Amino acid sequence: VQLQASGGGLVQAGGSLLLSCVASGITFSNYNVAWFRQAPGKERELLASIRWNSGSTYRADSVKDRFTISRDNAKNTVSLQMNNLKPEDTATYYCAAQNYRRAEYDYWGQGTLVTVSS
């Protein structure tokens, strides 16, 4: 099983990035998928998630008006569109997959670094 995240980089405040995560080795449509981030010295934070069946989404208050999560089951891909980025969004971003029958996230991507300059 592999989750391959990409799309991170350096961007100026107010800019946008699109993160993508491609899954292999799982039946992607049976998994809830999510994006987390972790900044140095801080705890890992759940940003957004999307359910396996309904496609309903959750977004943390800190990103609700700026980030959008989506999935394409045909391409085994979950994406995170990030707009109006702020320096405090600087972190390593991780995708994760949770089998719909389980409470914990089973698989994690390797992380992609997002740096927002002021």
Side-chain angles (χ1 to χ4, degrees):
V1 177
Q2 187 175 19
L3 299 181
Q4 184 69 42
S6 62
L10 174 63
V11 63
Q12 288 188 332
S16 299
L17 283 175
L18 175 65
L19 304 185
S20 295
C21 176
V22 181
S24 59
I26 59 173
T27 303
F28 186 71
S29 58
N30 287 345
Y31 284 75
N32 301 317
V33 285
W35 286 95
F36 293 76
R37 70 184 176 191
Q38 188 165 22
K42 294 188 177 181
E43 293 189 353
R44 186 172 60 198
E45 174 187 11
L46 171 63
L47 298 176
S49 62
I50 185 165
R51 292 191 59 81
W52 68 284
N53 54 350
S54 64
S56 61
T57 62
Y58 159 83
R59 288 180 288 182
D61 287 343
S62 58
V63 303
K64 185 170 291 185
D65 296 327
R66 302 183 294 123
F67 293 7
T68 302
I69 188 172
S70 61
R71 67 188 295 161
D72 184 340
N73 288 343
K75 296 182 179 180
N76 287 3
T77 299
V78 56
S79 300
L80 186 69
Q81 177 66 48
M82 306 188 295
N83 298 326
N84 191 21
L85 284 160
K86 304 175 180 180
E88 53 263 42
D89 293 318
T90 295
T92 298
Y93 286 67
Y94 300 89
C95 55
Q98 174 198 44
N99 186 280
Y100 73 95
R101 293 175 289 185
R102 291 173 57 81
E104 303 296 328
Y105 282 90
D106 302 277
Y107 305 109
W108 293 82
Q110 85 285 6
T112 185
L113 178 63
V114 172
T115 304
V116 185
S117 63
S118 58

